[in-house]
């Protein structure tokens, strides 16, 4: 690589790092203000001013105020971890192990931030509505991660059902965790939710049960 190419690459890396710092600062100040003043009472202008940028800069990073509260890098990381799982592993187990591994990487350092964000989401109607749209996007992301190793009868409908069930289990574990103010370890609750899902999926009806 020539000196010019090296300088250009270094400049690109610096700009990328600066953008990431600005994005993180905006989100941190947004969450702080949301928790102090309430989501509805906080304006984009206040978030931008607290971060030392213009409100137009805010919109270059987050299309809406809701995005600043809901957006994170967790789901793309889970998709990458799913893609690394053994090809022969059942889809539901791929999702479970990827979630567990990903959460283990950030839980100790991000637990309080995640809990505050989830409590805010569940008590704010506008944010609760936004989670539904994001769940649809998450479902498409996970289906795409699972699709390359889904063969035979494991078609799109199969993956959609499995992913929807897994996301529902995770959502209820997180909701339970937030409603209890983090009384339990979220990782254990997610394991418990997947255990419940697995138990229902593998349930065998008693042989003497009368038919309908």
């Amino acid at each position: 690589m020539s000196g010019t190419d090296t300088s250009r690459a270094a400049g690109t890396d610096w700009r990328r790092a600066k953008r990431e710092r600005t994005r993180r600062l905006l989100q941190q100040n947004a969450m702080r203000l949301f928790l102090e003043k309430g989501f509805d009472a906080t304006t984009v202008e206040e978030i931008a001013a607290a971060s030392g940028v213009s409100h137009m800069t805010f919109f270059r990073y987050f299309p809406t105020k809701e995005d600043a509260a809901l957006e994170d890098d967790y789901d793309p990381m889970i998709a990458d971890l799913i893609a690394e799982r053994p090809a022969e592993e059942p889809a539901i187990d791929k999702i479970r192990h990827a979630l567990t591994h990903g959460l283990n990487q950030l839980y100790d350092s991000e637990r309080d931030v995640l809990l505050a964000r989830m409590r805010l989401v569940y008590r704010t109607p506008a944010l609760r509505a936004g989670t539904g749209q994001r769940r649809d996007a998450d479902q498409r992301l996970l289906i795409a991660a699972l699709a390359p190793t889904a063969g035979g009868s494991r078609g799109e409908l199969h993956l959609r059902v499995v992913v929807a069930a897994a996301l529902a289990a995770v959502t209820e574990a997180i909701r339970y965790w937030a409603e209890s103010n983090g009384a339990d370890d979220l990782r254990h609750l997610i394991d418990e939710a997947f255990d419940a899902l697995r138990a229902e999926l593998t349930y065998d009806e008693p042989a003497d049960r009368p038919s309908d």
Side-chain angles (χ1 to χ4, degrees):
M1 181 182 290
S2 68
T4 301
D5 290 338
T6 301
S7 298
R8 186 179 297 115
T12 300
D13 290 343
W14 179 83
R15 284 190 292 272
R16 185 182 300 112
K18 182 181 179 182
R19 287 195 298 270
E20 180 55 32
R21 285 195 301 271
T22 301
R23 176 182 174 277
R24 188 163 53 248
L25 180 63
L26 282 165
Q27 198 162 32
Q28 288 171 347
N29 282 317
M31 283 302 304
R32 177 177 60 80
L33 290 168
F34 293 156
L35 295 172
E36 288 176 0
K37 301 183 58 179
F39 178 81
D40 294 329
T42 301
T43 67
V44 167
E45 287 76 12
E46 288 173 325
I47 298 169
S51 305
V53 300
S54 70
H55 73 281
M56 293 305 296
T57 297
F58 175 93
F59 288 119
R60 285 202 290 270
Y61 289 87
F62 301 103
T64 67
K65 188 171 67 169
E66 287 80 2
D67 288 308
L70 295 172
E71 187 174 302
D72 59 46
D73 298 324
Y74 188 57
D75 295 316
M77 177 178 68
I78 297 306
D80 290 341
L81 290 170
I82 285 173
E84 295 172 3
R85 299 299 304 174
E88 67 279 4
E89 189 174 49
I92 194 74
D93 292 331
K94 287 182 181 180
I95 298 170
R96 179 178 187 165
H97 292 313
L99 282 166
T100 301
H101 183 59
L103 194 55
N104 279 334
Q105 292 185 35
L106 55 83
Y107 189 76
D108 289 337
S109 61
E110 300 290 333
R111 176 207 177 265
D112 292 344
V113 173
L114 179 59
L115 178 59
R117 181 154 66 97
M118 290 299 99
R119 285 173 55 80
L120 175 71
V121 165
Y122 288 122
R123 68 172 182 253
T124 307
L127 295 178
R128 286 202 307 272
T131 59
Q133 297 176 348
R134 288 189 173 272
R135 190 158 51 247
D136 290 343
D138 294 343
Q139 183 170 350
R140 291 191 294 271
L141 187 67
L142 299 190
I143 288 171
L146 290 163
T149 55
S153 62
R154 312 291 187 174
E156 182 180 355
L157 178 59
H158 177 95
L159 292 182
R160 288 175 68 169
V161 171
V162 170
V163 171
L167 289 177
V170 172
T171 297
E172 289 310 310
I174 293 173
R175 185 194 300 270
Y176 183 90
W177 181 63
E179 290 174 349
S180 67
N181 197 27
D184 297 300
D185 190 308
L186 177 58
R187 294 167 294 187
H188 298 161
L189 293 175
I190 288 178
D191 272 340
E192 186 177 337
F194 272 95
D195 284 342
L197 184 59
R198 173 68 74 185
E200 288 299 318
L201 290 173
T202 59
Y203 174 73
D204 291 324
E205 293 187 354
D208 58 351
R209 177 176 176 177
S211 60
D212 295 332

